[in-house]
Amino acid sequence: MNQQSPLLLTDEQLRTFITNGFLILQTDFSDSFHEQLMAQLNQVYENEGNPGNNLLPRIRELQKVFDHPVITGALTSVLGENYMLHAHRHGHYNASPVAGGWHKDSYWGYGRMRNHHPWWAMIMYFPQDTPVELGPTGVMPGTQNYETRTFAKDDIADEAVASGSAGTFALIHYDIWHRSTPNVLGKHRYMLKFEFMRTQAPESPSWNNQETAWRKPASYSTPFGEHDVLWEETWNWLSGRMGSMAGTKPASAEQVSSLVQGLGDASEPVALNAAYDLAAAGAPGVEALLQALRHENKAISRLAAYGLSISGEAAVPGLIAALNDARPETVVHAVFALGELRDLAASAVPALNGLLDNGTAVAVRRAVVEALGIIGTPIDEVTAGLIRCLQDEDVQVRFMAGLSLSRLGSAAKAAVPQLIQSLDDENRYVRAHSLEALRYIGTEEAKEALIEDLFRSRWCFTTTKENAFYP
């Protein structure tokens, strides 16, 4: 177990993360540590192929990386103390002289409305010296909150790369646009990708916080626009001040009308600012956003949901009413906003549970399962709904249920029997997330189930096709 205290991010580093969507940081392992790590990676990849989700048990020294105080500190600062190392992990090998395509990672194949608040983050770790010529990961700064690629595929003038000596890593907002860059040297280049989830909403700053008020970092790169309200709201949210921007910038009727027009702007950064500015405009802005939620243009509806998600309690009645909309996309957007409003949306839980019938559009059920875990109260009703989700016919509803129950912790102990049954699910992530939920619930019954499953499915990390049976 790591005995070193996490090296928390400073205010300036967190401000940079909020604006740029990433940080490039450095561990201080010895050269010999990385040489041994590379030797193991080369042996495994050459003889066995990519170990995928078994990366940690197959290369056990790698756990030391995720116990390093720079990495634990970065993750604690962004995701809180009880963050989860997700079951999906992947070693990316790049020897191609051709750049990869720009993309956002999916959620294990699951399409979902992406969070602007940092509920998720990734670590991309480089175990070898990675000059630009070796093809490090490239990220497009400031694009973590954009659904669309706002730049041409060959537009790399503003690209940042995770280049550095062995032990360099990128901490990135899960939803930032990124790609692999060309490896013109043709030598081995590994990037070890791990995903992490926040399990608790922030109640206070979890970084080395010295300043209460938001201000922009001294240096940042957001080539496609600035997002003053969004950035300040994210800072406040991470500080435990939810809904802090609601009504802080009152607007006239004419200004509200102009912002509504802005929701349909061809530039997503402009339209995104309009949504957040409407949320800050008070009651007229909330009403305009509720109307836009039902707009025939689904992109406008989605942007309205982001605005409503920070609009505070005033948005809740209108969002509950929108759950009855005939269009599934409108309902999904309303569910998302209710989830982000957390306990302020507790009155929506009965209506949300009512959307869990298999006859409801699957996209709606997928949104509901996540919202329930974030709202979290009333606990008995939320837990009952998530127990139903563990039995849903859709695999993605089932595997999101385990993550939502992890967020509830011991209060969700009524779900333990169904979680135990889910350990035999056909899907690997249903099983993995059920194990995580049992770990976070932490009752004696849950712990016993964890231990039994561990011994039943014990994985021998030294067993390979060359060493199958003997010591």
Side-chain angles (χ1 to χ4, degrees), residues 188-202:
H188 294 313
R189 190 283 271 162
Y190 295 100
M191 180 274 281
L192 309 178
K193 183 188 77 175
F194 289 76
E195 302 176 357
F196 300 85
M197 185 187 87
R198 171 182 285 277
T199 62
Q200 295 176 322

Side-chain angles (χ1 to χ4, degrees), residues 105-115 120 174-175 195 399:
D105 279 20
S106 74
Y107 290 79
W108 331 291
Y110 170 37
R112 61 188 288 278
M113 193 162 170
R114 296 177 182 270
N115 302 99
W120 290 88
Y174 192 94
D175 298 310
E195 302 176 357
F399 73 57

Side-chain angles (χ1 to χ4, degrees), residues 316 319-324 330-358 360-361 363-378 381-382 384-386 388-389 392 397:
V316 172
L319 287 168
I320 293 175
L323 299 179
N324 295 315
T330 299
V331 181
V332 167
H333 298 158
V335 171
F336 170 85
L338 286 165
E340 286 291 306
L341 289 168
R342 291 157 38 193
D343 61 305
L344 296 179
S347 59
V349 168
L352 293 172
N353 280 344
L355 295 172
L356 292 176
D357 293 329
N358 283 330
T360 304
V364 172
R365 304 201 311 276
R366 292 172 183 172
V368 169
V369 66
E370 186 163 18
L372 287 174
I374 297 175
I375 294 171
T377 186
E381 292 182 52
V382 167
L386 293 174
R388 290 178 62 190
C389 291
D392 196 278
V397 175

